[in-house]
Amino acid sequence: MDSKVVKFGGSSLADAEQFKKVAAIVKADSKRKYVVASAPGKRFDDDIKVTDLLYKCFELAIAKKNIDETFSKIKDRYNGIISDLGLDFSLEDELETIKAGIIHRASRDYVASRGEYLNAMVLAAYLGYDFIDAETCIFFDDDGNLDTEKTNRVLSELLMRHSRAVIPGFYGCMSNGTIKTFSRGGSDITGSIVARAIEAEIYENWTDVSGMLMADPRIVDNPKVIDVITYGELRELSYMGASVMHEDAIFPVKVSNIPINIRNTNSPEDPGTMIVPEASGGSPYIVTGVAGRKGFSIINIEKDMMNAEIGFGRRVLEVLENHKVCFEHLPSSIDTMSVVISTSELRSTKYEMVAEIAKVVNADRVTVEDGIALIAVVGRSMVSAKGTAVRIFSAIARENINIKMIDQGSSERNIIVGIEESDYKAAIRAIYSEFVK
Ligand code: ADP
Ligand code: ASP
Ligand code: MG
């Protein structure tokens, strides 16, 4: 279809000034027919996102505390935007209904979703576009997973009847009629779903940076913008903490090979980052990007001659399965096997699980190390470049940082290293400066 889907994040819709920039961007290209809106985000560093204010109201209501003060902050955000834009439009009734809902124990997801619901209404009024409630066209199954086929069918039919529309991001509806949200940052997924439904020529994701950067700008000064990145590389980086796009946002557009363009609302002339199914050329650097996350634990299992023992790995993984714990990595050597798990996944089952693992494989020793950070070095050009791993390890070693774990994905487009959390920023900076001179 000859249309573009544009999603604007919270900082792009944080106040009236930002709304004006958004409208200018939308109006600058007549193909920008379907707009996905986030809730108002931060206007300055210490500001609070409307979504977080809504979660706070929910917590207060659960604790039977008064929500007036927090709710009035939410109200002021919307009323401020409406009056500064000079709109002849009121959300008073909607706000009253939502407030009453919170006090009478509406669900956590319903409460959180109202941020995008209200903001999309304001944006639709400002742009003169139709408002389409995501509740009527984004569906989750009984397990809480997106019902991809039903959503795509209903949404494409619905959008055919609206030549221009604003759709709130972040939420949809369960089959029993209750509202459900995606995980945080989920408006990126909504944008992708809408792009697939209309077979958009492009999905533009407008945010507050000029594209996906080679490293987190809060860690590396002025990191370079990635011009072109593949779906696969983006998924690895966003899963590992490059938070500019939700890690699941590529799946809907991937079905139809629709490219994503990350753009900056505050600097619309910048070309941003193109996210494409396959890149024809390599990247300007061997490494496309570096990202990382804290909060991992490593379970180290030692047993002499483990390599010759049939079923060893299965027995270890069965313990994890019985405890419903997912693992991230599974590096092994002849007599040792390590399981890398997110510490929050381990929860209270940690000691029980370790004891069970020791028992089922009759291990010589099982230890757990907490406080691990994982860093992913990702790049499609890494497959053909010899010596990349050595460069990564030497850069880390030069900083006197001890590597606890190494894993290379079978695609050869990523190398993961595990280090102590306290070394996290130094390691990211060291790797970045090794490859970007
Ligand atoms: P939005 O509100 O538009 O959805 P987000 O806050 O979710 O925006 O994502 C943009 C932010 O992601 C940036 O402001 C930046 O601080 C952060 N970020 C972390 N890693 C990266 C990266 N590698 N490239 C770009 N931005 C990153
Ligand atoms: N407003 C939601 C959040 O803060 C969703 C989003 O911004 O994408 O997580
Ligand atoms: Mg976001």
Side-chain angles (χ1 to χ4, degrees):
M1 202 193 197
D2 208 13
S3 306
K4 297 180 178 178
V5 169
V6 283
K7 176 256 169 181
F8 290 92
S11 51
S12 304
L13 291 167
D15 58 23
E17 284 316 301
Q18 293 300 93
F19 266 70
K20 288 178 189 163
K21 293 181 193 169
V22 165
I25 291 166
V26 172
K27 300 281 156 95
D29 184 343
S30 61
K31 288 185 180 174
R32 293 181 176 136
K33 294 178 190 160
Y34 300 100
V35 183
V36 172
S38 284
K42 290 185 180 197
R43 293 158 293 182
F44 41 86
D45 270 358
D46 295 336
D47 200 12
I48 307 177
K49 293 179 175 187
V50 164
T51 308
D52 289 310
L53 290 171
L54 286 161
Y55 279 125
K56 189 167 172 214
C57 282
F58 174 80
E59 301 299 338
L60 288 169
I62 289 292
K64 296 201 170 75
K65 293 195 177 136
N66 189 297
I67 67 164
D68 287 353
E69 196 188 325
T70 312
F71 197 80
S72 65
K73 289 186 186 154
I74 298 171
K75 224 172 144 173
D76 291 348
R77 292 289 299 266
Y78 290 105
N79 287 338
I81 295 171
I82 293 169
S83 69
D84 292 348
L85 291 176
L87 286 176
D88 180 19
F89 173 78
S90 165
L91 284 176
E92 282 310 312
D93 292 348
E94 292 286 348
L95 285 160
E96 278 313 305
T97 310
I98 294 167
K99 187 171 181 190
I102 299 175
I103 293 167
H104 294 103
R105 302 287 174 79
S107 76
R108 186 169 188 270
D109 279 13
Y110 165 82
V111 176
S113 73
R114 297 304 88 184
E116 344 296 285
Y117 171 79
L118 296 171
N119 222 25
M121 279 189 162
V122 181
L123 186 59
Y126 186 49
L127 293 174
Y129 279 27
D130 296 342
F131 167 79
I132 297 179
D133 191 347
E135 181 184 352
T136 63
C137 51
I138 308 258
F139 302 104
F140 292 91
D141 64 22
D142 293 339
D143 296 326
N145 298 315
L146 178 71
D147 186 337
T148 318
E149 291 322 312
K150 182 177 175 194
T151 299
N152 196 49
R153 193 182 64 248
V154 174
L155 191 57
S156 14
E157 280 170 19
L158 183 65
L159 293 178
M160 270 192 264
R161 300 198 295 272
H162 296 266
S163 58
R164 293 178 184 271
V166 180
I167 303 136
F170 193 37
Y171 72 94
C173 184
M174 305 268 290
S175 55
N176 64 6
T178 55
I179 296 284
K180 179 169 167 51
T181 64
F182 293 106
S183 55
R184 294 300 303 264
S187 301
D188 292 331
I189 309 175
T190 310
S192 183
I193 293 170
V194 176
R196 180 192 168 194
I198 60 150
E199 296 282 331
E201 71 177 53
I202 197 161
Y203 165 29
E204 293 178 345
N205 188 295
W206 291 81
T207 182
D208 62 352
V209 276
S210 289
M212 177 105 180
L213 304 167
M214 285 186 70
D216 189 330
R218 292 161 294 191
I219 300 176
V220 171
D221 274 344
N222 267 323
K224 295 223 182 291
V225 174
I226 303 170
D227 301 330
V228 178
I229 187 171
T230 64
Y231 288 158
E233 289 174 308
L234 179 100
R235 168 113 176 113
E236 311 253 13
L237 285 172
S238 54
Y239 180 70
M240 283 303 290
S243 53
V244 66
M245 274 266 286
H246 192 290
E247 73 234 33
D248 293 341
I250 56 160
F251 291 120
V253 288
K254 201 175 170 189
V255 179
S256 307
N257 284 342
I258 298 166
I260 308 173
N261 187 198
I262 301 182
R263 300 282 291 269
N264 190 346
T265 301
N266 306 316
S267 191
E269 58 290 350
D270 294 348
T273 300
M274 284 301 296
I275 306 165
V276 295
E278 293 298 332
S280 45
S283 44
Y285 302 95
I286 293 167
V287 160
T288 305
V290 188
R293 261 168 47 194
K294 294 181 178 177
F296 292 96
S297 300
I298 306 183
I299 303 181
N300 293 306
I301 309 154
E302 292 173 35
K303 186 177 184 188
D304 286 348
M305 306 284 289
M306 144 194 315
N307 64 321
E309 200 177 311
I310 291 168
F312 188 96
R314 179 184 49 78
R315 284 197 285 280
V316 171
L317 295 183
E318 240 168 32
V319 175
L320 265 65
E321 189 176 344
N322 293 340
H323 286 269
K324 297 195 164 37
V325 166
C326 299
F327 69 91
E328 306 278 330
H329 298 281
L330 211 59
S332 65
S333 65
I334 307 175
D335 297 327
T336 65
M337 175 172 165
S338 303
V339 191
V340 182
I341 299 173
S342 157
T343 309
S344 59
E345 274 274 314
L346 271 179
R347 299 176 302 262
S348 51
T349 62
K350 181 159 122 183
Y351 296 107
E352 215 176 300
M353 254 180 54
V354 167
E356 265 176 55
I357 291 176
K359 191 165 156 226
V360 296
V361 296
N362 197 14
D364 297 335
R365 210 157 82 101
V366 182
T367 53
V368 185
E369 273 179 276
D370 292 327
I372 301 292
L374 295 183
I375 296 182
V377 187
V378 177
R380 58 188 179 277
S381 306
M382 277 161 51
V383 186
S384 50
K386 292 197 180 64
T388 312
V390 176
R391 287 179 68 185
I392 296 170
F393 305 147
S394 326
I396 294 177
R398 276 199 297 277
E399 295 294 313
N400 260 327
I401 296 170
N402 185 18
I403 298 182
K404 302 259 175 195
M405 189 275 305
I406 298 169
D407 202 9
Q408 176 164 32
S410 53
S411 61
E412 285 187 55
R413 64 167 179 238
N414 68 339
I415 292 176
I416 313 274
V417 289
I419 49 163
E420 276 179 23
E421 284 181 346
S422 52
D423 293 325
Y424 175 66
K425 288 188 176 173
I428 297 242
R429 288 188 193 115
I431 299 169
Y432 179 84
S433 17
E434 170 63 31
F435 291 95
V436 184
K437 305 268 182 200

